[in-house]
Amino acid sequence: MQFDLSAVETAPMVFIGTLVIALVITLFMMTAALAALVLTGVGRLVWLICATLLLGLVRGLNYTWDRLVHHASTVELPGELASDFTADFIGQSAPSTGTYPRVVLRDS
C-alpha cells in the first residue's frame, strides 16, 4: 500500500516538525546548563580544597616558626660558650651601615 504525502495537508507536518526541533533545542539547552552547573561546582570544590590546604600550610609554618623562636629564647648557653657567643655579635661591623650591636631576639 502506497501512502501519498501530497494528499496530506502540510500544516500538521510543519507543527510537528516545529515541536520536534523545539524539543531537541530544549534538551540541548538543559544538557548544557547541567554541564555548566557541574563544572562550576567542581571548580568551586577544587578552589576550596586548594585554598584550605594553602591556608593550613601557612598556619602550620607560622606555628612551627613561633614554637622555634620561643624555644630558642628559653635555651641557656653554658658559661664559657655563652660569653664567646655574645662577644662575637656585640659591635660587629655590618657591610653597608657601619658598626652597630646585633639584636638577639629574646621576646619574640
Side-chain angles (χ1 to χ4, degrees):
M1 177 177 178
Q2 287 280 19
F3 183 69
D4 187 17
L5 285 178
S6 62
V8 179
E9 193 176 333
T10 58
M13 289 193 299
V14 169
F15 181 72
I16 292 172
T18 303
L19 288 179
V20 168
I21 289 175
L23 180 66
V24 168
I25 290 173
T26 302
L27 290 175
F28 175 76
M29 294 286 284
M30 287 174 54
T31 305
L34 182 63
L37 284 173
V38 167
L39 288 174
T40 303
V42 168
R44 170 77 177 164
L45 180 65
V46 168
W47 173 255
L48 186 65
I49 289 171
C50 288
T52 303
L53 288 176
L54 185 60
L55 185 62
L57 179 66
V58 169
R59 286 184 176 170
L61 287 172
N62 284 341
Y63 175 77
T64 304
W65 180 254
D66 189 47
R67 296 295 301 158
L68 181 68
V69 168
H70 283 295
H71 176 70
S73 70
T74 61
V75 172
E76 293 294 328
L77 297 173
E80 186 177 307
L81 184 60
S83 63
D84 290 343
F85 183 73
T86 56
D88 289 341
F89 287 108
I90 296 175
Q92 183 178 4
S93 64
S96 64
T97 60
T99 60
Y100 66 93
R102 296 281 176 130
V103 177
V104 178
L105 298 174
R106 282 291 197 187
D107 339 279
S108 295

